Amino acid sequence: MTRFYLPDPVAMETLGVALAGALRNGGATVYLKGDLGAGKTTFVRGVARGLGVTGRVRSPTYTLVEGYELPDGMLYHLDLYRISGSGELEFLGVRDLEAPANRIFIEWPERVAPGALPSADLVLSLAVEGDGRSLTADAITERGRQLVQAWRSRAAIGKDA
Ligand code: ADP
Ligand code: MG
């Protein structure tokens, strides 16, 4: 388990950029847990930037999913907070988002039934801590472990564990 402390939004975004660096060699599925305001979208915005997305990165609050083309695949950013049931999930075609080169980031995965989503390589838990935020990373798969290792060595700031 790896823990980071991010004193401000810039540090959060920079940590996302660092994970993107570890994600250049292929896809993965990452869950983001934590209350509203914990910094999940800010983190994914950093990931998108780090993967070379130059346009606006909006929160998928109402659209539920936003997709970005990468040179070798897709970045999908989901926010399931407002999902209303399994019908909507089917409509989204979540299972079809999975491909070896796709990077999939899912806010609020706990809103849907376990097994309804691509399974996670990495689970990130974010929380408000004082004026800043904490982020804890749990690797679930071998790919997840590999990512955490590469990510840690890239994250020069905010690392306290
Ligand atoms: P979530 O997607 O988890 O609801 P957001 O990423 O939208 O959260 O962030 C909510 C607010 O918290 C935003 O105003 C954002 O700038 C701020 N924020 C993000 N990371 C940090 C941080 N490390 N320290 C302080 N504020 C942060
Ligand atoms: Mg959000």
Side-chain angles (χ1 to χ4, degrees), residues 6-13 34-43 45 59 79 107-108 126 131-134:
L6 302 315
D8 55 42
V10 173
M12 184 64 88
E13 221 178 297
D35 288 338
L36 285 174
K40 302 180 294 297
T41 297
T42 305
F43 180 83
R45 192 168 285 132
S59 174
D79 179 348
E107 296 184 42
W108 294 100
L126 290 75
D131 290 338
R133 305 287 187 269
S134 64

